[in-house]
Amino acid sequence: MDKLSIVVPCYNEEESIPLFFPAVEKEVNKIKKLEVEYWFVNDGSGDRTLYELRKLHENHPDKVHYVSFSRNFGKEAALYAGLQATSGDYVVVMDVDLQDPPAFLPQMIDILRNSDYDCVGTRRVDRTGEAKFKSFLSSQFYNVINRISQTNIVPGARDYRMMTRQMINAVLSMKEYDRFSKGIFSWVGFQTKYLDYHNVERVAGETDWSTWKLFKYAMNGIADFSQAPLSIAVWLGSVSFILSIIGIIFVIVRRIFEPSSSVFGWASLVCLILLLGGLQLLCIGIVGKYVGRTYMQTKNRPIYIVKEKQ
Ligand code: UDP
Ligand code: MG
């Protein structure tokens, strides 16, 4: 008998939970010699999500468990809490809105059981039903991060993935405060097989990710897994330094050979001062981002706080 743990982060999902559970049950019941446990994480929902989870737990006390946070800590924290609670030989991470098709579960288990792969991930091959601008931004994000970071982030990869206990322990050993799962799953290494599928829309409720929120998430991801922005600051500084040396030499030489010439005027000077001032602020800002993250990490605050656990 193998054991599969299903980790499900939920934030304001009262409508999705009653649809999610039977849909997943139907698939896992097809798998032979498998014991299943569910770990739902209520990420400080403002609706009746916790009530739905309690109800589910009462109906299936041995199978369905939940962790409920004291407030909203974000999906990354919810995933971490869920993973920590699991005890299965295999662990799968799923969204509750059925955008991660449960029909893949038997195939995923099959691959992990019968091959050397440590992880089966999923990848969306299209983004129908999503705003053009959002798709454009996300494809640019993958371009940039893969160019500047050593960690390879697969375009379109979802958080929906099944992993072996060994890989889960590796993921759990990364206790960083700013968690960027896409990067963490890739950073720990191991062999991952990707299954492709077409985009599925939510069964109920609404996504909580605005374009702006996604943009900030992407920027944080870059800061978490690359130090390239710091090098950009160094490069900008070096280039403007070299240019200013050339300028100084030019002015001195002209003064020697053409003593009557005066300086070009103040407009160009003001532009230069503004340019350099701007560059300096930009670079300090970039450095500040990293210092800020170091600050948060050194405080060593817990990643989440549990109010109720069953
Ligand atoms: N989620 C969460 N905490 C949050 C936001 C989202 O636990 O602060 C959960 C949400 O309930 C869902 C999953 O993360 O199960 C993915 O969220 P969503 O469907 O909004 O994102 P998308 O599928 O559009 O990427
Ligand atoms: Mg979703």
Side-chain angles (χ1 to χ4, degrees), residues 95 97 99 202:
D95 284 3
D97 54 18
Q99 277 189 306
R202 268 178 161 275

Side-chain angles (χ1 to χ4, degrees), residues 8-13 16 41-45 69 72-76 78-79 94-100 124 130 134 158-159 200 202 204 206-209 213-214:
V8 196
C10 309
Y11 178 55
N12 293 341
E13 303 279 7
S16 312
V41 183
N42 172 32
D43 186 11
S45 304
F69 287 175
N72 179 256
F73 281 90
K75 183 183 173 184
E76 302 291 341
L79 278 183
M94 292 178 88
D95 284 3
V96 71
D97 54 18
L98 290 180
Q99 277 189 306
D100 299 335
R124 278 193 298 185
E130 198 178 80
K134 216 168 165 177
R158 304 267 311 167
D159 284 344
V200 185
R202 268 178 161 275
E206 259 170 44
T207 174
D208 182 49
W209 293 91
K213 215 174 151 187
L214 272 177

Side-chain angles (χ1 to χ4, degrees), residues 20 53-54 114 117 119 201 205 237 241 303:
F20 172 83
L53 295 182
R54 280 189 190 132
N114 302 316
Y117 284 108
C119 173
E201 297 201 23
F241 176 71
I303 296 170

